[in-house]
Every structure is written in structure tokens, then in C-alpha cells.
């Protein structure tokens, strides 16, 4: 059975993971917010968030994609791409 993940579904999941990993309330995590500029968000937290996303979706994100992430929208885009590639 193939599961289709919409961008909205991915955004909800990623936002929940980002909240858990950063301690920033979901209400403050807008999709276009630059995560790198937020207080308390460092590269270690971002990498932990990415690792949890990879485990959640059973995917592996490309290093060049991970290092280019700055917003939740960026995360949704690379997760969607990885899911499409995994389904192919």
C-alpha cells in the first residue's frame, strides 16, 4: 500500500518535530520563518530534527539538501522530494 503525503501533512509533522526539538511553540513556527536566525536553534538541533524526520518517514535526505535548509517550507520541499523518490 502506498501512502500519499500532502505538503500540508508533511508541514504538520515537521512542525511538530521542530517544536519538540527546539522548544519553540508551534504557534511561533511559521512555514517561512528562517530557523537559522531563531534563538536557541543551532546546527545540532537542526541535525537532530532532520534525523527524527528521516526516522519518521523512513527516508534519507541528501546532505546538500539538509545544509540548504532554512525554513519549514524548505524542509517540506526536501521531504516531499525524498518521499517521491522512495516511492518510484
Amino acid at each position: 500500500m502506498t501512502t500519499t503525503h500532502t505538503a500540508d501533512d508533511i508541514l504538520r509533522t515537521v512542525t511538530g518535530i521542530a517544536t519538540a526539538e527546539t522548544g519553540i511553540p508551534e504557534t511561533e513556527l511559521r512555514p517561512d520563518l528562517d530557523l537559522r536566525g531563531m534563538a536557541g536553534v543551532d546546527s545540532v538541533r537542526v541535525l537532530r530534527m532532520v534525523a527524527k524526520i528521516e526516522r519518521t518517514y523512513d527516508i534519507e535526505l541528501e546532505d546538500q539538501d539538509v545544509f540548504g535548509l532554512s525554513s519549514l517550507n524548505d524542509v517540506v520541499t526536501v521531504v516531499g522530494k525524498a518521499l517521491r523518490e522512495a516511492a518510484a
Side-chain angles (χ1 to χ4, degrees), residues 36 47 50 54 60-70 74 78 81 85:
R36 298 174 296 186
L47 290 176
V50 167
E54 288 177 328
E60 186 171 333
L61 300 177
E62 298 293 329
D63 288 344
Q64 67 266 19
D65 290 336
V66 171
F67 292 119
L69 298 176
S70 64
D74 292 343
V78 299
K81 175 184 158 193
E85 290 172 356

Side-chain angles (χ1 to χ4, degrees), residues 14-29 33 35 38-42 45-46 48-49 52:
V14 166
T15 301
I17 291 170
T19 294
E21 291 300 323
T22 64
I24 299 169
E26 279 190 39
T27 55
E28 293 180 26
L29 288 173
L33 184 67
L35 295 173
M38 297 201 64
V41 179
D42 58 15
R45 287 190 189 272
V46 171
R48 285 184 15 205
M49 186 176 78
K52 189 165 186 176

Side-chain angles (χ1 to χ4, degrees), residues 48-59:
R48 285 184 15 205
M49 186 176 78
V50 167
K52 189 165 186 176
I53 291 166
E54 288 177 328
R55 286 191 307 274
T56 298
Y57 288 106
D58 193 26
I59 57 174

